[in-house]
Amino acid sequence: MSEMVNADKPSTVAAPRPGEQTLQVRLRALIWEAPGVLSLQLTAADGGPLPPFEPGAHIDLKLPNGTLRQYSLCGDPNDTSHYRLGIRAISGGLSSTFVHKALRPGELLTVSTPRNNFPLVDSKHYIFVAGGIGITPFIPMMREASAKGRPWTLIYCNKRNQDAPFLAEIRTIGGEISLHSSEAGTRLDVAKRFSTVEQDAVVYCCGPESLMTAVEEATKDWPEGTVHFEWFAPRSRASDQPDGSFEVVCQQSGITVTVPADKSILEVLGENGIEVPRSCEQGVCGTCELRVISGEVDHRDSILSSSERAASATMMVCVSRSKGPRLVLDV
Ligand code: FES
């Protein structure tokens, strides 16, 4: 149920931001990278250059079966002739199953322009912690670190080392690689590896939730900004807040809406003519991020760091809610 305070205001569409525009691309090649892992080479449908991207960026991939998912760009950021994605077949995964079973070179696909929620900050030393296909955002990062002469260490965890995607390519980039395999009995002892803060180093982690939460726990006392995570599925962190009803004041549009317990802010804004760009609707892609003017946010996304949550300058309106009776948003 929503309350229209000013029904005469026109519908509002926010200006496009990175990741909000779409492109037609052609699947030029599918390459078998490792058991269960394909890489996709995508070129612009018109044959021209693609928008540039930074290490850590991802795109939305829309498939002919109607699914939409986010994938890291794992090609060379200096080469705008094509994008490369690495996709592991996941049991029950509609997107990855379609890619592995039905997609064929030559098909036209729709992707978003690149968006980067996982930028490479400046550091004297990088530690990349990857679990399986979580390696993809790190390949451009490792290239950039090497190009800048910054040493890096890759801690690469897989069930079997011989199944590690892109390992042969990574060996040519020039860092230190530490392989960990559950089958070989060399599983990473996360608590031990990160028991002490490494001076002048930043950690980047991407992989299954068990690895991410273990690294998060082990590094919880590291200085703010030294450990970064990329989630491609919503983390199972329950909110301690019940799903109550609250008001959202839309500063630009001049309307106030009521968000009931069973709807998201994103849904209610849409019902009232305020179309906020969206993609994952799970709090992992950042497309629906809005600036918070006032109010106390119950952050439920998997993107913002603890300091960003504390500052509450922005929020993901597909999943996050209000702790108090009212939020004022810049929309
Ligand atoms: Fe992806 Fe909200 S639509 S974070």
Side-chain angles (χ1 to χ4, degrees):
M1 202 188 330
S2 304
E3 173 202 355
M4 293 288 288
V5 172
N6 183 349
D8 295 332
K9 289 278 177 183
S11 292
T12 304
V13 179
R17 296 173 294 186
E20 290 175 5
Q21 292 170 300
T22 57
L23 306 166
Q24 285 286 296
V25 293
R26 192 173 297 282
L27 178 62
R28 187 173 71 183
L30 275 171
I31 299 170
W32 178 257
E33 299 288 354
V37 177
L38 289 173
S39 70
L40 284 63
Q41 285 189 14
L42 305 169
T43 54
D46 64 5
L50 290 161
F53 69 94
E54 298 167 352
H58 72 265
I59 55 172
D60 298 341
L61 173 66
K62 187 167 185 195
L63 293 167
N65 66 348
T67 59
L68 181 76
R69 271 223 55 181
Q70 293 72 44
Y71 293 101
S72 292
L73 290 162
C74 64
D76 182 352
N78 295 314
D79 181 355
T80 57
S81 69
H82 71 278
Y83 290 154
R84 183 175 69 162
L85 311 177
I87 300 181
R88 180 183 290 287
I90 297 170
S91 175
L94 295 178
S95 290
S96 69
T97 301
F98 187 87
V99 166
H100 279 255
K101 301 254 187 245
L103 211 53
R104 293 290 176 269
E107 283 201 57
L108 280 174
L109 303 169
T110 301
V111 299
S112 69
T113 49
R115 164 183 283 275
N116 197 358
N117 298 330
F118 201 42
L120 190 67
V121 299
D122 194 36
S123 178
K124 290 183 177 162
H125 180 217
Y126 297 96
I127 301 169
F128 301 112
V129 187
I133 197 64
I135 190 67
T136 50
F138 299 138
I139 299 171
M141 289 183 171
M142 292 184 283
R143 288 193 187 286
E144 175 149 317
S146 287
K148 288 183 170 171
R150 306 292 168 84
W152 54 266
T153 301
L154 170 64
I155 299 171
Y156 198 7
C157 307
N158 286 275
K159 191 170 177 203
R160 305 189 318 158
N161 288 335
Q162 58 266 46
D163 294 347
F166 304 103
L167 183 56
E169 177 181 329
I170 293 164
R171 289 192 200 278
T172 68
I173 302 177
E176 178 188 326
I177 302 172
S178 170
L179 295 175
H180 296 271
S181 152
S182 49
E183 197 171 281
T186 55
R187 189 186 287 270
L188 175 67
D189 184 338
V190 175
K192 191 172 166 192
R193 178 63 180 77
F194 295 105
S195 60
T196 52
V197 175
E198 293 194 31
Q199 293 301 322
D200 299 327
V202 295
V203 174
Y204 282 81
C205 181
C206 185
E209 180 161 10
S210 56
L211 176 67
M212 306 263 276
T213 52
V215 172
E216 194 172 48
E217 172 63 23
T219 59
K220 65 179 187 296
D221 295 326
W222 284 44
E224 182 63 39
T226 58
V227 189
H228 305 262
F229 298 91
E230 174 91 313
W231 297 81
F232 274 94
R235 57 179 314 175
S236 51
R237 176 173 51 198
S239 168
D240 54 7
Q241 294 283 316
D243 285 356
S245 170
F246 55 92
E247 280 187 343
V248 172
V249 179
C250 305
Q251 184 96 330
Q252 288 182 36
S253 314
I255 66 169
T256 296
V257 298
T258 301
V259 180
D262 61 347
K263 288 189 176 175
S264 69
I265 298 175
L266 186 69
E267 282 177 278
V268 175
L269 292 181
E271 289 169 1
N272 288 279
I274 301 177
E275 290 302 331
V276 176
R278 64 185 72 188
S279 177
C280 71
E281 296 186 47
Q282 295 184 304
V284 297
C285 75
T287 307
C288 68
E289 184 173 25
L290 290 183
R291 203 168 71 80
V292 179
I293 295 170
S294 67
E296 198 179 355
V297 180
D298 175 16
H299 291 285
R300 299 184 180 188
D301 66 274
S302 305
I303 303 167
L304 298 179
S305 66
S306 50
S307 63
E308 288 169 331
R309 285 165 181 257
S312 261
T314 65
M315 70 183 292
M316 309 306 150
V317 293
C318 62
V319 291
S320 296
R321 304 184 66 83
S322 178
K323 288 184 179 172
R326 172 176 280 225
L327 284 177
V328 183
L329 301 181
D330 186 14
V331 68

